[in-house]
Amino acid sequence: MILIVAEHAGGKLAKSTLEMVSAARESGREGPVTVLVLGQGTADVANDAAKYADQVLVADLPQLATYNAEVWAAATAQIAQEGEASTVVIGGSRSGREYAPRVAVKLDAPYLEDVIRLSANGNALQAQRYTYLARVTETVEAEAPVIVVTVKPGSFAPAAPAAAAGEQYDVELDLPAPRVEVTGKSVEKSSRVALTEADVIVTGGRGVGSPENFATYVEGLADRIGAGVGATRAVVDAGWRPYAEQVGQTGKTVQPKAYVALGVSGAVQHLSGMGKSKYIIAINKDAEAPIFKVADYGIVGDVNQIVPALIEAAGKSQ
């Protein structure tokens, strides 16, 4: 089987899990696409996963109520061994990157990290990933009974529902006692849609001029049209916006239906994080800005003059 470890939060299946399903189906590896749901009170997550996978394995246990890298790695490795998985697919999130190498060690398996493409090459699994700040795409491959892969978020299109729902099975686990305990957690509260889940994203660059303009124009337009808010690395480095909003090679990779770039020059590192957006709309006063080379629609002009009119027009259409 191809084993996918589901990512979920707040009782909802994360978009990244659907991307992993697509990656699994494109990999050419044999066996049913199987989603493993770890956690407590995950019935809704399992039901959602069953819409996309051939089968769903559910470990609904008190020991899994809180994420722990040691426990997640042990659970994943156990199921992979018992199910004779050919491939283990884990999300390239912060937690996924933390426990995936542990799974590879437990399984004595090759580890392909942060992949953006998967395909079969004979008996080998071939993958592509970015390197040298996304200036180079390298191809790597591994051939082994089982291979562990992490998928770069936003690199694959989310899977469509399958023709028939997959079967669900409860599984038993022999879990170790965690050596590290989570004693507290702080969650940033926001009324906006999460950046990696958003169908529309409005991103601001240094071209918006100031933190105040960012709040007025970027956040203002995003709130008016119900979009997520993104930022370039330059904006984050300047302290205008938090790192959680950074899009690009060293931030988040996104693939929304529409990506609105305000005052974004279009450095290659930024393009690597949003280049697969279905539609890219750019507004920049520099007609030679690289962003216009990838944009589907572009306006050459001052963001501070154009965006207020867009916000007003969006308000009238609602």
Side-chain angles (χ1 to χ4, degrees), residues 110-239:
Y111 177 44
L112 304 179
E113 183 181 22
D114 226 20
V115 306
I116 59 172
R117 289 284 186 279
L118 282 176
S119 60
N121 183 21
N123 294 325
L125 179 63
Q126 190 173 87
Q128 290 184 335
R129 61 191 181 192
Y130 293 130
T131 186
Y132 293 109
L133 296 176
R135 290 184 173 90
V136 175
T137 300
E138 67 177 7
T139 300
V140 295
E141 66 178 40
E143 184 174 347
V146 58
I147 299 169
V148 177
V149 175
T150 55
V151 173
K152 185 175 180 63
S155 297
F156 292 83
E167 295 289 334
Q168 297 186 41
Y169 304 93
D170 292 327
V171 294
E172 296 182 359
L173 295 172
D174 183 16
L175 299 174
R179 292 178 292 177
V180 176
E181 179 184 358
V182 178
T183 59
K185 184 178 292 186
S186 176
V187 179
E188 182 179 351
K189 295 182 179 179
S190 175
S191 59
R192 297 192 186 97
V193 62
L195 195 58
T196 54
E197 303 287 328
D199 286 334
V200 180
I201 294 174
V202 180
T203 291
R206 287 294 293 267
V208 300
S210 68
E212 294 75 21
N213 286 350
F214 194 106
T216 299
Y217 302 127
V218 180
E219 290 189 277
L221 181 59
D223 289 343
R224 182 58 60 91
I225 63 177
V229 171
T232 63
R233 178 175 177 174
V235 163
V236 173
D237 287 348

Side-chain angles (χ1 to χ4, degrees), residues 24-109:
R25 297 200 185 282
E26 292 178 19
S27 70
R29 302 284 276 182
E30 296 183 356
V33 174
T34 303
V35 173
L36 172 62
V37 179
L38 302 174
Q40 185 178 30
T42 57
D44 289 343
V45 174
N47 289 336
D48 283 344
K51 299 174 184 176
Y52 303 91
D54 298 322
Q55 57 184 7
V56 177
L57 307 180
V58 184
D60 196 328
L61 302 168
Q63 303 98 302
L64 299 171
T66 302
Y67 165 76
N68 178 281
E70 287 182 285
V71 177
W72 251 243
T76 303
Q78 179 183 329
I79 295 300
Q81 289 174 326
E82 293 177 354
E84 298 182 348
S86 64
T87 312
V88 178
V89 183
I90 296 170
S93 59
R94 180 175 179 179
S95 59
R97 293 195 302 270
E98 181 182 26
Y99 77 87
R102 301 172 188 237
V103 175
V105 170
K106 289 178 181 293
L107 298 176
D108 191 23

Side-chain angles (χ1 to χ4, degrees), residues 241-280:
R241 305 300 299 177
Y243 173 72
E245 294 179 358
Q246 184 173 319
V247 175
Q249 172 67 16
T250 54
K252 290 183 171 65
T253 299
V254 296
Q255 198 176 37
K257 294 179 181 177
Y259 189 89
V260 184
L262 306 180
V264 174
S265 63
V268 65
Q269 293 89 344
H270 185 75
L271 298 181
S272 71
M274 44 66 72
K276 290 187 178 179
S277 304
K278 186 172 183 180
Y279 294 105
I280 299 173

